[in-house]
Amino acid sequence: MAQKPSIPKGTRDFSPSEIEKRNYIIQTIQKHFKNFGFQPIETPSFENLDTLIGKYGDEGDRLIFKILNSGDFINKVDDATYNARDSKSLTPKIADKALRYDLTVPFARYVVMHQNEIDFPFKRYQIQPVWRADRPQKGRFREFYQCDADVVGTKSLLQEIEFIQLYDTVFTDLGLNKAIIKLNNRKILSGIAEVIGEKQHLVDFTVALDKLDKIGKDRVINEMRNKGISSEAIKKAEPLFSLSGTNTEQLAKLKIFLKDSEEGSQGVEDLAFILTALDELGLNSAQLSIDVTLARGLNYYTGAIFEVAPPSEISMGSIGGGGRYDDLTGIFGLKDMSGIGISFGLDRIYLVMEELGLFPDNIGRALDVLFLNFGEQEAMASLKLIAKLRENGVKTDLYPDAAKMQKQMKYANKRNVPFVVIIGDRELADSSFVVKDMSKGDQTTYELSDIRGFLQDLKLFLN
């Protein structure tokens, strides 16, 4: 007996209707990327391992899918390394490539390699899959699409404002109102670490802090202690774990807390500029919220940090995120190239829209019209008419076999086809065709020589 097929955990097959809905989201995002002046690029699905390792922190490095070298890779490993059974020393000897973890680091690599062909500031968008060896759960997959937009070559805070507007515009267009755009600044996090006397533990501090909404205050404090952060320092930082009030009130509290840190004070000023500008410009439907615990756990952010949460009634992780990385390209040899970017989480956006019923009703309808098949002559007459309908943008098909009418009608119902066309002996003799409205049950007869009436009626329905 053949083994039942399966797919790896954290991956999915997509049905035709699911693909249509995903494409609807992608096309909406892509439309606004273009409206905001971004240009498309693509990069390979896998990169050299040394391009990716060390760019995402220890936790991120563990989630990178490594690709085993071709040939007898084990034979090339010396006995000492093999017997040590240490993955960190063994991995570079058996794998020199990896599936990309995100689109930002490959983009930085792209900028460095193509710097002489690029006009700066360079605004790019990229919509491609990424892979993470994460533990699968609701809304978290091992293979998923990212939809990224980045700008490199400018330090202007106007870009931060523009990205918030881009998030707001896209989510409003998708009908996903009241998305929550959380905002923080890495300079503020650095300032907090400095003020509490734990600057040497900045990464450990921010990684733990970023988990506050996931694991709670007590477990975050325990994690900080386990990383060597003193109880005195944690006590100093503790008021920030529950920072509340309006954005303006939170900024005022942060300004006082960080008054002795030049870097932290600069972060507060940056946030104040962004918030003041957006108060004047306004947003369509999104809510902007300062979140001082937001760190995202990535080593390359140096300024603004974004994370987008779905509307409060939906229980799901972030549906977007990003931030400023002042010297990401520096790791590849191109210094002083400031950049900022955001990502849309396609798969989670899909789940949220499905839960809220936000997809248009006509999405997933692969056919507008199905022609029934009553024999060779009837099929030939149908194919001539089908060609004209397709020329006019009507999604049309002919049932391939001259099967019983009941079987063909059942097929039309299963595929939710709104209109069925009948050309039988009588219609051939009369040079006509009959259209059945599947929802109402009505039938209308049209002349074969003139389909304009049918097209007009059809377009009224489809629009």
Side-chain angles (χ1 to χ4, degrees):
M1 184 176 177
Q3 184 178 353
K4 186 178 179 181
S6 63
I7 59 175
K9 290 182 179 179
T11 63
R12 296 151 296 163
D13 291 323
F14 295 103
S15 67
S17 64
E18 288 171 328
I19 291 292
E20 290 286 346
K21 291 176 180 177
R22 286 165 62 84
N23 286 343
Y24 170 75
I25 298 171
I26 289 172
Q27 288 161 9
T28 301
I29 294 171
Q30 190 176 47
K31 174 182 68 177
H32 292 296
F33 280 167
K34 291 179 178 179
N35 286 346
F36 276 68
F38 293 88
Q39 303 176 79
I41 69 163
E42 289 191 356
T43 59
S45 59
F46 57 93
E47 297 274 350
N48 292 325
L49 183 59
D50 57 10
T51 297
L52 304 178
I53 289 292
K55 313 307 188 299
Y56 308 103
D58 289 340
E59 288 194 12
D61 284 352
R62 286 195 291 270
L63 300 182
I64 294 174
F65 274 110
K66 287 81 175 177
I67 300 173
L68 291 174
N69 294 337
S70 303
D72 189 2
F73 50 85
I74 286 293
N75 191 43
K76 299 175 183 178
V77 180
D78 61 89
D79 290 342
T81 302
Y82 183 78
N83 292 328
R85 298 183 181 278
D86 177 56
S87 60
K88 283 191 174 181
S89 57
L90 180 62
T91 297
K93 296 180 181 294
I94 64 174
D96 58 18
K97 294 175 286 294
L99 294 175
R100 60 173 172 243
Y101 176 91
D102 73 351
L103 299 178
T104 306
V105 171
F107 172 55
R109 189 267 308 151
Y110 175 94
V111 170
V112 173
M113 289 185 65
H114 299 273
Q115 58 186 288
N116 295 326
E117 308 157 26
I118 293 173
D119 296 318
F120 294 103
F122 179 49
K123 301 177 72 171
R124 86 81 167 86
Y125 76 83
Q126 192 171 350
I127 302 175
Q128 289 186 277
V130 299
W131 294 265
R132 295 183 185 179
D134 211 344
R135 183 172 64 86
Q137 54 186 286
K138 182 183 178 182
R140 178 170 291 180
F141 307 101
R142 288 175 171 171
E143 178 185 60
F144 57 96
Y145 266 75
Q146 282 188 340
C147 308
D148 281 16
D150 288 77
V151 182
V152 290
T154 175
K155 294 182 179 181
S156 171
L157 289 176
L158 294 177
Q159 297 304 315
E160 276 82 342
I161 294 166
E162 182 176 69
F163 277 119
I164 292 170
Q165 290 176 316
L166 177 57
Y167 267 140
D168 176 50
T169 303
V170 169
F171 288 125
T172 301
D173 196 359
L174 290 172
L176 224 171
N177 298 325
K178 295 185 179 178
I180 304 163
I181 304 173
K182 300 178 183 178
L183 180 64
N184 197 12
N185 195 297
R186 195 72 175 206
K187 296 172 187 174
I188 288 175
L189 293 168
S190 297
I192 294 170
E194 180 184 351
V195 168
I196 67 174
E198 293 285 354
K199 197 159 188 178
Q200 73 277 17
H201 287 125
L202 171 62
V203 173
D204 292 331
F205 174 78
T206 55
V207 168
L209 190 64
D210 194 46
K211 298 176 182 176
L212 187 64
D213 62 339
K214 303 176 186 71
I215 65 175
K217 177 181 172 181
D218 292 340
R219 290 177 64 186
V220 165
I221 290 173
N222 286 336
E223 184 170 327
M224 287 181 176
R225 284 176 179 153
N226 291 337
K227 292 292 186 179
I229 299 171
S230 70
S231 296
E232 183 183 354
I234 294 172
K235 188 175 181 180
K236 286 182 182 178
E238 209 166 339
L240 299 177
F241 294 178
S242 55
L243 192 65
S244 61
T246 65
N247 290 330
T248 302
E249 289 168 347
Q250 289 188 57
L251 275 181
K253 294 174 185 176
L254 283 171
K255 187 174 182 179
I256 295 170
F257 188 91
L258 296 168
K259 66 181 187 303
D260 295 325
S261 169
E262 183 178 348
E263 185 176 11
S265 297
Q266 182 61 56
V268 173
E269 285 184 26
D270 288 353
L271 284 190
F273 175 83
I274 295 166
L275 290 170
T276 300
L278 288 168
D279 280 343
E280 183 174 345
L281 295 168
L283 294 174
N284 294 305
S285 68
Q287 300 174 5
L288 191 60
S289 175
I290 288 178
D291 184 352
V292 74
T293 69
L294 178 62
R296 293 188 59 81
L298 296 176
N299 284 351
Y300 54 68
Y301 290 137
T302 57
I305 307 169
F306 305 109
E307 187 166 278
V308 185
S312 55
E313 65 266 30
I314 299 294
S315 178
M316 176 129 0
S318 64
I319 56 176
R324 180 169 286 278
Y325 40 89
D326 273 341
D327 197 28
L328 184 63
T329 57
I331 57 180
F332 299 119
L334 182 60
K335 298 291 184 182
D336 301 322
M337 183 63 69
S338 184
I340 180 172
I342 61 171
S343 180
F344 289 83
L346 170 65
D347 298 285
R348 288 186 178 178
I349 293 170
Y350 178 102
L351 292 173
V352 171
M353 291 184 65
E354 189 89 307
E355 191 168 336
L356 293 174
L358 296 177
F359 288 107
D361 293 337
N362 62 348
I363 284 187
R365 189 177 67 221
L367 274 181
D368 300 321
V369 180
L370 177 69
F371 280 69
L372 302 189
N373 190 332
F374 295 99
E376 187 175 331
Q377 281 187 306
E378 293 87 344
M380 288 304 296
S382 295
L383 287 171
K384 291 176 183 177
L385 186 53
I386 286 169
K388 293 178 182 178
L389 291 175
R390 286 173 175 168
E391 286 173 6
N392 284 273
V394 181
K395 292 178 285 186
T396 315
D397 202 2
L398 169 70
Y399 194 85
D401 304 308
K404 290 183 178 179
M405 187 171 179
Q406 182 181 3
K407 182 179 180 180
Q408 297 187 56
M409 293 296 284
K410 186 177 180 181
Y411 175 80
N413 278 321
K414 282 187 173 181
R415 293 198 61 184
N416 295 316
V417 181
F419 296 100
V420 164
V421 172
I422 299 167
I423 301 179
D425 291 339
R426 183 184 304 171
E427 287 74 29
L428 277 180
D430 295 342
S431 295
S432 65
F433 63 97
V434 174
V435 178
K436 182 171 183 177
D437 184 324
M438 296 295 283
S439 61
K440 298 177 181 178
D442 298 342
Q443 292 192 171
T444 307
T445 302
Y446 299 88
E447 295 294 322
L448 271 174
S449 58
D450 187 2
I451 65 166
R452 285 177 297 179
F454 176 47
L455 280 172
Q456 288 172 359
D457 293 343
L458 193 60
K459 286 179 179 177
L460 283 174
F461 171 83
L462 298 178
N463 293 333

